């Protein structure tokens, strides 16, 4: 909050706030924090302002531009319609406000290596048992979102990625990073810049699209994307 410059008293919503630990800390620091929970008829947590029975798939029960900051941590990897979800979160953020997302990072190098060897990304939870009832599938990380697609969804919903946060880094990441960085950097640059240039020029879209790709290239090669266990993104809602 300090890095974002959020003033004391700013309205903050934490989507799917679990046991309210973050809400309690935000309130302690002088913010006007509110939370949601998916389950209905849950008991209150102290004096915290929490709306129960809020289904992200059906939409959030708040007017447009209701909050200075909206936070969602470790939720989107449980849900399938990412485009719908990001659109709804962006809707309730004020112009100039921020959306903060934390989700499992399947773009880190050890996850990419695991996918190459097994066909499964490292999603922080074991593979879902295939006899799991459909109603319980949301308990597993079945829908991790790739960073480039998340970047795209932010842009299309009027949000500009401004910062990546830090999370835990496993020891193996310090081994894989120098080993694979040159190859990853070359291939990512070729895909985002060289390969698309001819197509974009032909369709008269080179200038804006390549500028966005250039920014994405920088994020894709950051230590946070290649090494950290979680993606933590701060995106500012543009005024127009």
């Amino acid at each position: 909050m300090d890095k974002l410059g959020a003033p004391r008293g700013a309205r903050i919503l934490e989507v799917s706030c679990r046991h309210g630990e973050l809400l309690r800390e935000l309130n302690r620091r002088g913010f006007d924090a509110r939370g949601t929970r998916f389950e209905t008829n849950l008991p209150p947590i102290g004096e915290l302002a929490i709306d129960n029975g809020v289904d992200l798939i059906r939409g959030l029960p708040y007017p447009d531009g209701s909050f200075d900051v909206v936070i969602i941590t470790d939720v989107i990897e449980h849900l399938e319609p990412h485009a719908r979800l990001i659109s709804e979160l962006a809707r309730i953020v004020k112009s100039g406000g921020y959306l903060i997302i934390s989700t499992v990072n399947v773009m880190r190098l050890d996850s990419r290596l695991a996918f190459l060897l097994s066909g499964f990304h490292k999603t922080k939870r074991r593979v879902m048992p295939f006899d799991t009832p459909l109603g319980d599938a949301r308990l597993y990380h079945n829908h991790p979102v790739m960073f480039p697609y998340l970047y795209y969804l932010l842009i299309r919903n009027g949000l500009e990625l401004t910062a990546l946060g830090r999370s835990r880094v496993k020891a193996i990441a310090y081994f894989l990073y120098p080993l694979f960085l040159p190859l990853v950097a070359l291939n990512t640059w070729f895909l985002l810049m060289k390969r698309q240039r001819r197509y974009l020029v032909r369709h008269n879209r080179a200038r804006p699209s390549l500028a966005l790709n250039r920014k994405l290239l920088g994020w894709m090669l950051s230590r946070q994307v290649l090494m950290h266990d979680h993606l933590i993104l701060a995106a500012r809602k543009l005024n127009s």
Side-chain angles (χ1 to χ4, degrees):
M1 293 299 104
D2 291 338
K3 289 181 178 179
L4 298 181
R8 297 300 180 264
R11 295 199 68 203
I12 299 176
L13 178 71
E14 185 189 4
V15 178
S16 295
C17 65
R18 297 184 181 179
H19 304 297
E21 301 95 331
L22 180 56
L23 285 184
R24 188 173 288 108
E25 180 63 19
L26 289 169
N27 282 326
R28 189 185 70 82
R29 297 192 181 204
F31 298 107
D32 179 12
R34 189 173 197 89
T36 75
R37 294 190 291 192
F38 172 71
E39 295 83 357
T40 59
N41 301 320
L42 290 175
I45 304 175
E47 300 300 321
L48 298 180
I50 298 176
D51 299 315
N52 292 327
V54 175
D55 187 343
L56 297 178
I57 307 304
R58 296 178 182 271
L60 294 165
Y62 310 108
D64 296 355
S66 296
F67 298 94
D68 299 290
V69 180
V70 174
I71 301 171
I72 183 167
T73 63
D74 298 335
V75 173
I76 63 176
E77 61 269 23
H78 295 270
L79 303 175
E80 184 175 6
H82 293 138
R84 161 89 173 146
L85 174 60
I86 299 301
S87 176
E88 187 64 7
L89 294 171
R91 179 186 66 80
I92 62 172
V93 178
K94 293 180 181 179
S95 293
Y98 283 87
L99 172 61
I100 298 176
I101 299 172
S102 174
T103 185
V104 59
N105 181 17
V106 293
M107 301 295 294
R108 67 189 194 274
L109 292 174
D110 63 311
S111 178
R112 298 188 196 190
L113 184 60
F115 184 81
L116 173 67
L117 298 177
S118 69
F120 291 94
H121 281 294
K122 298 185 106 176
T123 60
K124 311 296 291 182
R125 290 196 178 182
R126 63 188 179 89
V127 176
M128 181 181 67
F130 293 110
D131 60 351
T132 302
L134 283 175
D136 294 334
R138 62 181 177 82
L139 301 176
Y140 296 87
H141 293 173
N142 295 316
H143 307 288
V145 58
M146 298 292 183
F147 178 76
Y149 184 52
L150 191 52
Y151 176 79
Y152 164 77
L153 292 178
L154 293 174
I155 291 172
R156 299 315 304 170
N157 285 282
L159 295 157
E160 179 184 22
L161 180 61
T162 60
L164 293 176
R166 299 179 179 276
S167 67
R168 187 178 66 164
V169 179
K170 292 191 179 75
I172 191 174
Y174 293 103
F175 170 75
L176 295 176
Y177 181 76
L179 185 65
F180 286 105
L181 178 61
L183 184 60
V184 170
L186 180 62
N187 277 274
T188 307
W189 171 83
F190 180 79
L191 177 65
L192 290 177
M193 304 305 298
K194 186 70 174 179
R195 186 176 178 184
Q196 292 202 60
R197 184 181 297 274
R198 183 178 301 174
Y199 170 84
L200 294 171
V201 169
R202 186 186 308 132
H203 292 81
N204 198 29
R205 296 169 57 189
R207 187 168 297 175
S209 295
L210 287 177
L212 291 172
N213 280 15
R214 192 172 294 109
K215 289 182 180 179
L216 174 59
L217 177 63
W219 296 119
M220 290 280 288
L221 300 181
S222 67
R223 286 176 177 263
Q224 289 95 322
V225 171
L226 295 178
M227 297 178 67
H228 291 223
D229 275 10
H230 277 75
L231 286 174
I232 304 174
L233 305 89
R236 179 176 177 270
K237 188 168 183 178
L238 303 178
N239 293 323
S240 58

